[in-house]
Amino acid sequence: MENCVRTTCNGAPNQQQLLPVELWDHVENCLFFSQAVQLLLCDLLLITRTSMWQQQINMSQPVNSMHQASPLELRGFQQDLSSLRKLSQTFRPAFRRVFLHEATARLMAGASPTRTHQLLDRSLRRRVTTPVLKAGESDTHPGRREQAEALLLACRYLPPSFLSAPDQRVGMLAEAARTLEKIGDKRTLHDCQQMIMKLGSGTTVTTS
């Protein structure tokens, strides 16, 4: 951060004439970029750890079993999640990813599904009205990606008692698929389509 600010100041034309407001704008832009990169890296690490855990589930035996992550895997996930929580305290866009990854951490640990369901539900809440944000503020409400990912996690891993009837579950996955297609997430869209096919054929979803 210090180097970034120094570079910005050194590269500014007519430094002696640079107004304090303009200088602060440069600093804010630099800070925003730095935090955005941190969010991207934290999220990518957590997504990668989740993907590796899901691959282990696919290879686990018996096929209907839930694979609990190892202590080493859980510790690494929690460390990255802690970094995301800390970032969300000062960078509001990171907040919308916290609940989703917290729910994933509970699934990996084999924790009680009640709290996991609550966390996923927070990612599924729809915005009724468009919030009025002040200058410099960012919306922390879950976006379409978070809603789609929460639907996938709920349909794949939560016990049937926490979900709707099987035909309604297909509808939830279809909604997630439409969202993923709109935002261009082809990899997750493929996973979602595979889950829909397995539900239609009566195959257990957790083996996708």
Side-chain angles (χ1 to χ4, degrees), residues 8 18-32:
T8 301
L18 190 64
L19 297 176
V21 174
E22 294 174 335
L23 177 59
W24 180 245
D25 287 341
H26 281 291
V27 173
E28 281 193 326
N29 290 337
C30 188
L31 178 60
F32 182 88

Side-chain angles (χ1 to χ4, degrees), residues 5-6 40 52 63 71 77 80-82 86 96 103-104 107 119 122 134 143 151 155 162-163 167 203 208:
V5 173
R6 185 183 297 113
L40 178 63
M52 294 174 62
V63 293
F77 194 96
D80 293 337
L81 180 56
S82 177
K86 184 177 180 181
R96 65 178 63 182
T104 302
L107 290 170
L119 289 169
R122 297 190 69 168
K134 298 179 181 179
L151 284 171
C155 290
F162 286 85
L163 301 175
D167 56 337
T203 306
S208 63

Side-chain angles (χ1 to χ4, degrees), residues 115-127:
R115 175 58 179 163
T116 306
H117 178 261
Q118 293 173 349
L119 289 169
L120 291 174
D121 186 61
R122 297 190 69 168
S123 292
L124 287 171
R125 291 177 184 173
R126 298 182 181 277
R127 184 188 296 111

Side-chain angles (χ1 to χ4, degrees), residues 168-202:
Q168 293 175 317
R169 184 185 295 193
V170 173
M172 293 166 62
L173 290 172
E175 178 184 350
R178 288 192 295 269
T179 299
L180 292 167
E181 186 174 10
K182 288 179 180 179
I183 63 179
D185 190 339
K186 296 182 179 180
R187 183 186 64 81
T188 311
L189 174 61
H190 175 74
D191 292 342
C192 184
Q193 292 171 335
Q194 291 295 312
M195 291 174 64
I196 295 174
M197 292 175 59
K198 290 181 183 296
L199 275 177
S201 63

